[in-house]
Amino acid sequence: MIITLETLVRAASVIPVLTVGEVEKAAPLARALKAGGLTVVEMTLRTPAALDVLTAMKQAEPDMIIGMGTIRTPEQVAASMRAGADFLVSPGLSPELIPALLACGLPVLPGVATASEAMSAVEAGFEVLKFFPAEQAGGRAYLKSIAGPLPDIRFCPTGSITREMAPDYLALPNVVCVGGSWIATGAMIEAGDWATITANAAAASAMKP
């Protein structure tokens, strides 16, 4: 299946943002998230095992849409594609990173934190932007305030968003999905607490924009 940006947006509501250090956790983690009804997840490139974890999750649940986040260099773009990433997420944009993301052929959610950065990202050719770090950059109030002057720009806010906050973010007209680490925290993954992860995933999958 070819994953387009619109496919991604339609399939996602709350996207689990995952940091996983052990490949052995990949398959049970993917199954736990899928059992809760989530089909879109973001792995972060924050551990040496991240690329292998992404590949193992795809092998365990081939129908899941799994992206790689924390992309900062063209080399990481290429490595993530080789690992089987379905989409890419960056914390921000740089002159070197922009052409690599535009040329990769995958849906991309580049990170922005201000109106100027959002305008520049759209001018560069990106259509849906990661608002990061969401809470620290102004949160729901900020996104609501820029919906008027920038009505055509869509966001996926990520960063310190809790289970309780997520529905309020999703209610904003310029938000198409949100990212959240609360669904499967590092401690839950390390402990193998798949039941709690499935329950959190079920709660997240019930939230819709």
Side-chain angles (χ1 to χ4, degrees):
M1 179 176 63
I2 297 175
I3 306 300
T4 66
L5 184 61
E6 294 308 315
T7 300
L8 175 65
V9 169
R10 286 196 300 269
S13 52
V14 182
I15 301 176
V17 180
L18 311 172
T19 301
V20 186
E22 301 173 73
V23 177
E24 293 75 17
K25 305 289 188 183
L29 174 59
R31 288 193 287 266
L33 293 167
K34 185 75 173 293
L38 293 181
T39 57
V40 180
V41 303
E42 176 194 337
M43 178 61 53
T44 60
L45 196 53
R46 297 183 185 180
T47 72
L51 292 167
D52 291 333
V53 170
L54 185 149
T55 300
M57 289 184 73
K58 287 291 295 182
Q59 290 172 343
E61 292 291 347
D63 293 336
M64 291 188 78
I65 301 172
I66 305 177
M68 182 62 79
T70 325
I71 299 293
R72 296 176 54 194
T73 68
E75 291 76 19
Q76 291 174 339
V77 171
S80 298
M81 293 177 69
R82 289 194 297 270
D86 293 309
F87 65 98
L88 301 177
V89 184
S90 69
L93 285 172
S94 68
E96 183 183 36
L97 183 59
I98 288 173
L101 290 176
L102 289 172
C104 74
L106 299 178
V108 176
L109 304 178
V112 301
T114 67
S116 294
E117 291 176 1
M119 290 169 63
S120 296
V122 170
E123 287 177 8
F126 300 103
E127 298 179 36
V128 178
L129 312 178
K130 172 183 177 176
F131 179 58
F132 176 82
E135 280 294 292
Q136 293 81 355
R140 291 154 287 180
Y142 186 81
L143 284 171
K144 186 176 180 179
S145 72
I146 63 172
L150 304 176
D152 56 319
I153 301 182
R154 297 178 293 171
F155 295 95
C156 175
T158 302
S160 301
I161 296 175
T162 65
R163 176 175 178 167
E164 293 71 27
M165 295 175 188
D168 291 335
Y169 272 100
L170 289 168
L172 295 173
N174 53 350
V175 169
V176 294
C177 57
V178 302
S181 59
W182 57 269
I183 299 164
T185 66
M188 293 174 195
I189 296 169
E190 180 65 26
D193 189 358
W194 312 125
T196 296
I197 291 173
T198 294
N200 287 345
S205 66
M207 300 178 189
K208 301 297 181 184

